[in-house]
Amino acid sequence: MTGLRGYRRPSEGTQPPYLHPPYRSSLKRAPREPLVRMEHTLSEVTGPVFGDDLADRCDLTRGPRGEALGERIVVSGRVLDEDGRPARGTLVEVWQANSAGRYLHAVDQHDAPLDPHFAGCGHARTDDEGRYRFVTIRPGAYPWRNHANAWRPAHIHFSVFGPAFATRLVTQMYFPGDPLLAFDPIFNCTADETARARLVSAFDWDTTTPEHSLGYHFDIVLAGREATPWER
Amino acid sequence: MGTLGATPSQTVGPFFSCGLERLDASDLAPPGVSGERVTVEGRVLDGDGQGVPDALLELWQANANGRYAHPEDTQERPLEPAFRGFGRVTTDGDGRFRFITIKPGPVPGPGGTAQAPHVAVSVFARGLQRRLVTRLYFPGDAHATDYAMGLVPPSRRDTLVARRGEAPGTLLWDVVLQGPGETVFFDC
């Protein structure tokens, strides 16, 4: 254990607070007691390793009986740490609404059509450069009753493990130029504007596929490693 | 120092089951895995004491030998191929969850101490913009010398320790997100 190096903590304002009153669901779910600060032990610098037992599902547009409706897009990028080192072979999971803004979920009551050819979920492990790539449908915006006439901007949920329990991250990817971003309490929860901007993907000519799909680039940056061990 | 800023966390929202169900693992200990089998049952509760029907717990633990299935655990203790040490369960309409695992062995802690057997737990839910991190400890162990437990005010330590249920091998442990009896969460 001597020489155990933890992972870095976020700078002030670069992660959302637990309690954010404009996001109503946080009111009864955010803890009121302060978090107990803990240095990372072997339990936090290790984490689950997923091998080839989980076959990749990278193309969300092909249902068992046909193709999903909507605007096809390619979403790709890298999973890195703050020092730019790739997270190799790490599991990336995605889920999203369909092009009409409806999730394939029993609780989603939005009056918009389901698409029998679109389940809206995928997963893949990153390659040696930390790269991932999904082919999907651009999700629609949807109403969510947080406040009067509340609409979530179009987004794709991302779940990433990284190398350790300490690096676990679930986030959302947004689309550039979406007018709803300015009004969304979930997106705007994070005080630091530069940090917030990392949630917005970039249109990408390089991955835009002729006669097929527009490309969007989205890198995910996980906590970096402390330079020095915390244990003396 | 880092040159790239880390990506902010965002809530899993209410509709995560489609994306995360493929890895659902409520039984961490398939037949053949050594150790004391336990079934952990409980509820995730909000500040009104209501069950949280859209929460997700992730579990991470060592095997019965106190060895993590991860390359940075270089202890000379045996690994078990059938034991990954990862679990993921969702709550039902009443906020209930249940998982089966084995009690992990003690793992090394700071300063040459041993950490009491524990499961590292991440809590995700609609309303939580970041996961909450807590730990599940086991009844009857010596917790006084445990590193993380030692950081917790004594009056709140029992929120981290499961209670024995009536059925043999059953442990009861609730996650209280807010209010009286609030579970201890770590800045981790």
Side-chain angles (χ1 to χ4, degrees), chain A residues 1 5 7-10 14-20 23 25-51 53-55 57 80-85 91 93-96 103-105 107-109 119-123 142 152 157 159 161 163-172 174 184-190 195-196 198-199 218-223 225-226 230-231, chain B residues 1-24 45-56 58-62 66-75 77 84-88 107-113 115-116 118-135 137 147-153 156 176-179 182-188:
Chain A
M1 274 293 284
R5 282 191 302 143
Y7 285 84
R8 289 203 287 273
R9 311 302 169 109
T14 61
Q15 292 286 337
Y18 288 100
L19 182 64
H20 184 67
Y23 177 30
S25 299
S26 75
L27 292 172
K28 293 292 182 186
R29 296 184 171 189
R32 294 301 168 96
E33 298 283 347
L35 302 191
V36 175
R37 161 80 186 216
M38 178 177 131
E39 301 301 331
H40 295 151
T41 74
L42 187 61
S43 305
E44 289 77 35
V45 303
T46 56
V49 177
F50 301 102
D53 51 331
L54 202 68
R57 180 169 183 211
L80 307 159
D81 74 8
E82 290 171 282
D83 299 306
R85 282 187 287 255
L91 183 65
E93 299 164 288
V94 295
W95 69 100
Q96 62 167 90
Y103 283 89
L104 182 57
H105 190 288
V107 173
D108 187 354
Q109 300 297 314
C121 47
H123 52 87
Y142 59 84
R152 291 293 336 270
H157 295 267
S159 154
F161 282 84
F165 180 81
T167 58
R168 182 84 176 92
L169 178 73
V170 173
T171 188
Q172 300 180 26
Y174 300 92
D184 183 48
I186 291 181
F187 174 70
N188 289 295
C189 237
T190 303
R196 216 158 56 221
R198 294 180 201 123
L199 298 173
F218 183 58
D219 285 342
I220 298 163
V221 181
L222 306 176
R225 206 87 199 244
E226 293 284 7
W230 69 274
E231 266 198 274
Chain B
M1 283 303 287
T3 51
L4 307 170
T7 305
S9 176
Q10 297 270 271
T11 180
V12 292
F15 304 131
F16 52 78
S17 60
C18 145
L20 302 176
E21 71 189 351
R22 199 161 300 236
L23 259 185
D24 256 8
L45 300 164
D46 70 11
D48 289 332
Q50 300 292 310
V52 174
D54 44 16
L56 173 82
E58 285 186 354
L59 317 162
W60 171 241
Q61 65 167 88
R67 174 89 192 263
Y68 285 105
H70 185 275
E72 286 198 32
D73 186 344
T74 55
Q75 302 176 87
R77 300 176 184 182
R84 172 147 48 202
F86 174 77
R88 179 186 267 175
V107 298
T113 61
Q115 301 191 61
H118 65 272
V119 179
V121 181
S122 300
V123 183
F124 300 90
R126 171 174 63 84
L128 292 178
Q129 282 277 54
R130 302 169 69 179
R131 69 169 169 165
L132 287 167
V133 170
T134 185
R135 282 183 169 199
Y137 287 86
Y147 163 69
M149 199 62 104
L151 303 170
V152 176
R156 301 188 63 209
V176 181
L177 298 179
Q178 186 188 89
E182 187 175 304
T183 300
V184 168
F185 299 106
F186 291 98
D187 174 6
C188 169

Side-chain angles (χ1 to χ4, degrees), chain A residues 45-87:
Chain A
V45 303
T46 56
V49 177
F50 301 102
D52 298 327
D53 51 331
L54 202 68
D56 286 356
R57 180 169 183 211
C58 303
D59 187 346
L60 284 65
T61 65
R62 294 181 189 282
R65 287 175 303 280
E67 279 204 68
L69 289 172
E71 178 191 341
R72 272 189 305 256
I73 58 174
V74 171
V75 178
S76 63
R78 297 174 72 198
V79 182
L80 307 159
D81 74 8
E82 290 171 282
D83 299 306
R85 282 187 287 255

